[in-house]
Amino acid sequence: LLDLPHVPWALALLMLGAFTKSAQFPFHFWLPGAMAAPTPASAYLHSATMVKAGVYLLARLSPAFGASPLWFWPLFVIGGITMVLGAVSAIRYRDMKAVLAYTTISALGTMVLLLAFSGGAGGAEIGTAALALAATILAHALYKAPLFLSAGIVDHAMGTRDLRRLAGLARTLPVVALTVVL
């Protein structure tokens, strides 16, 4: 299948669409910009559905193309860059929702990086990577939505999302603090 002349082009276009949808480098800029949405909407969109659509498309294609270098290297390189770039970018922001957005970008990069190793034929590493990918997708959906919702509660209660102005938050909102820690 990969020997056909149009397959690499089709695969490249599919990857381009999936990378754009899942906020992979260099298309990661749209995700923090989507933080203008109200907190419940951003919690749902950024944790459960929208951003994982590209990862889901790549996961569905992984069994067919996983053994090919045309599959491995773009996912490995783009996923790795996105993972590191998202984590490093999160450090420089003071707005809670921006930090959450960049950590989401980093998590999506991790998922794409795991996809590079989860496709193809044979080997214990492949099964482990696929299991790690499934666990990462589930864990991200379960922890990111409560964090976005908690950011909304903090913003509403304190009037700010600026992390520099939220010292002593555990004394002011103990239930929210416990939820975030959990």
Side-chain angles (χ1 to χ4, degrees), residues 2-152:
L2 289 171
D3 296 334
L4 298 173
H6 63 282
V7 171
W9 289 102
L11 186 57
L13 290 173
L14 284 168
M15 282 185 180
L16 180 68
F19 289 162
T20 303
K21 188 66 172 172
S22 63
Q24 298 297 302
F25 173 83
F27 309 108
H28 63 287
F29 59 85
W30 71 266
L31 187 60
M35 289 292 106
T39 299
S42 60
Y44 177 67
L45 293 175
H46 293 92
S47 64
T49 57
M50 186 177 282
V51 296
K52 291 194 189 77
V55 174
Y56 178 75
L57 173 64
L58 292 172
R60 295 292 293 173
L61 294 172
S62 188
F65 297 107
S68 169
L70 292 174
W71 180 259
F72 175 82
W73 288 108
L75 267 59
F76 178 75
V77 171
I78 298 297
I81 290 171
T82 303
M83 178 182 67
V84 172
L85 181 67
V88 170
S89 295
I91 293 170
R92 68 185 181 114
Y93 284 93
R94 305 284 186 246
D95 181 80
M96 276 192 300
K97 285 178 80 174
V99 170
L100 290 174
Y102 280 102
T103 57
T104 297
I105 290 171
S106 181
L108 291 166
T110 303
M111 291 176 208
V112 170
L113 183 66
L114 286 169
L115 269 168
F117 294 100
S118 66
E125 309 83 42
I126 293 170
T128 304
L131 184 60
L133 173 65
T136 302
I137 289 171
L138 179 62
H140 185 261
L142 293 175
Y143 79 79
K144 193 61 76 157
L147 287 177
F148 272 109
L149 291 171
S150 298

